[in-house]
Amino acid sequence: MKVLIGGGSGFIGQSLSKLLNNRGHNVSIISQRPGKGRITWEDISKKGLPPCDAAVNLAGENVLNPLKRWTEAFKQEVISSRIETTRTLTQAISKSSNPPRSWILVTGVGYYPPSQTHQYSEESPGGNADFLSRLVRDWEQVAELPPSINKPSTQLVRVRSGVVLGRDGGALPSMLWPFRLCLGGPIGSGNQPFPWIHIEDLCRLLCQCIEQGGSSGDVLNAVSPSAVKDTNSDFTQALSMALGRPAFLPVPALAIKALLGEDRAPMLLEGQRVVPQKTLQSGFTFLYPDLKSALADLLK
Ligand code: NDP
């Protein structure tokens, strides 16, 4: 199959491309910069969608980049890097005479309101709790195809992902050094839910959506089955045990707020208990259903 991946040069995109290539698919990347095997966003806007069986969007400025201050300009970049790239693909698919069978958008479980008690499935309401949940709501809305072309040939799948744990990017590598120096510990109270997924499981799920032509479901939660009960303290303890290092030094909530600002701090200080209900109903099986197996693989 021919697969087009917006933001395919990033952490998730590289893993997904590798998996798809290994399974015999043909991957093209949409990027801000031209290059070998790449198409630019400008090309898509001007020339339309190249022939493909599936389109995936993974483009987005890193929200939690601690090197970027939470200025109005950066906030707009975080929003527009997701909304505008998604709009470009939605419009290109709508105008295509030969649209792909599946259109897959990876967003986040930040859609659901943070809570230590509520459990959320794909059908739970959300999208109006804070900056991130409103961003996910708008981002997913822009991906909707106009009714006239929303024929069975293009199926939109919104994949709401938890924190993606991988060796080569995302949150885990930056967390490892303090733990290795015995400076690790829970963030804030540590009681906040920690929705997570192993990168390999996320890419396998995206691959399933692509190969099944988007029939896996219109919204899928991409979190490990055990994540519904995992807290930040559970993750801290599991990481500490996997590394054989103590982790007693909590990171104060005030320090997180000072570093990241009011809009971004809740992404670390709060969380959602999320169930991958429709994901499991779609027949998907997780290779790494709990933190122990995931960390054992990622740290070996
Ligand atoms: P990365 O930051 O690794 O990669 C995203 C890609 O987006 C980059 O490689 C870049 O590609 C492109 N990009 C960056 N800034 C912009 C911009 N201003 N305008 C257009 N494109 C831009 O992200 P991940 O692979 O980790 O995540 C992919 C998506 O999944 C993101 O939207 C993220 O919010 C979402 N997600 C990620 C989670 C995680 O834990 N990693 C959890 C939940 C959701 P290029 O430079 O080639 O254009």
Side-chain angles (χ1 to χ4, degrees):
M1 292 170 91
K2 284 194 172 153
V3 184
L4 195 59
I5 310 180
S9 62
F11 164 49
I12 300 171
Q14 285 186 34
S15 268
L16 177 61
S17 302
K18 202 168 151 191
L19 178 63
L20 290 168
N21 284 326
N22 286 344
R23 291 178 68 87
H25 302 302
N26 185 322
V27 176
S28 302
I29 282 170
I30 316 172
S31 171
Q32 299 165 98
R33 284 168 288 276
K36 193 168 170 265
R38 293 181 179 204
I39 304 163
T40 63
W41 290 103
E42 213 183 327
D43 289 337
I44 301 283
S45 298
K46 284 189 183 153
K47 300 179 197 158
L49 198 76
C52 61
D53 302 289
V56 182
N57 197 15
L58 291 167
E61 179 72 51
N62 179 3
V63 190
L64 281 176
N65 187 343
L67 303 176
K68 295 272 181 100
R69 283 199 316 116
W70 194 239
T71 58
E72 201 46 46
F74 182 61
K75 197 166 158 177
Q76 282 314 314
E77 191 61 38
V78 164
I79 297 170
S80 69
S81 58
R82 289 170 173 77
I83 303 274
E84 295 313 323
T85 53
T86 302
R87 197 192 311 279
T88 301
L89 274 173
T90 308
Q91 288 179 350
I93 293 168
S94 313
K95 287 181 195 155
S96 169
S97 55
N98 184 17
R101 280 178 68 204
S102 49
W103 162 212
I104 298 157
L105 180 68
V106 177
T107 63
V109 295
Y111 175 79
Y112 308 110
S115 165
Q116 290 188 15
T117 50
H118 279 82
Q119 287 192 12
Y120 301 111
S121 74
E122 289 85 348
E123 276 159 5
S124 303
N128 201 19
D130 52 21
F131 168 78
L132 190 61
S133 76
R134 285 188 287 274
L135 170 58
V136 176
R137 175 197 63 196
D138 297 345
W139 188 9
E140 291 187 353
Q141 232 162 42
V142 170
E144 279 168 24
L145 297 164
S148 56
I149 84 122
N150 202 0
K151 45 195 174 196
S153 60
T154 302
Q155 173 70 48
L156 169 63
V157 188
R158 285 153 283 204
V159 177
R160 295 185 184 141
S161 177
V163 177
V164 183
L165 300 180
R167 276 182 213 99
D168 307 319
L172 187 63
S174 57
M175 285 190 243
L176 288 181
W177 69 264
F179 277 80
R180 288 203 162 113
L181 295 173
C182 303
L183 297 172
I187 296 177
S189 71
N191 295 329
Q192 66 276 35
F194 184 72
W196 64 273
I197 186 167
H198 189 296
I199 179 84
E200 201 178 326
D201 278 333
L202 174 61
C203 293
R204 288 174 57 250
L205 177 62
L206 295 172
C207 197
Q208 172 181 294
C209 296
I210 292 165
E211 290 177 348
Q212 294 184 352
S215 64
S216 304
D218 56 349
V219 178
L220 296 175
N221 286 337
V223 289
S224 112
S226 86
V228 68
K229 58 170 181 47
D230 290 329
T231 62
N232 180 269
S233 284
D234 293 328
F235 171 71
T236 304
Q237 211 175 357
L239 187 55
S240 150
M241 285 186 50
L243 289 170
R245 297 281 200 282
F248 297 127
L249 285 178
V251 185
L254 274 177
I256 296 290
K257 284 182 186 158
L259 183 70
L260 296 176
E262 288 293 326
D263 280 330
R264 292 192 292 180
M267 297 174 202
L268 295 187
L269 296 172
E270 297 173 2
Q272 299 82 2
R273 294 191 181 280
V274 180
V275 191
Q277 192 169 293
K278 285 196 175 175
T279 303
L280 291 170
Q281 281 167 0
S282 77
F284 183 75
T285 50
F286 286 80
L287 285 181
Y288 305 99
D290 50 54
L291 278 170
K292 197 173 169 206
S293 59
L295 290 174
D297 174 70
L298 293 169
L299 300 175
K300 74 186 176 203

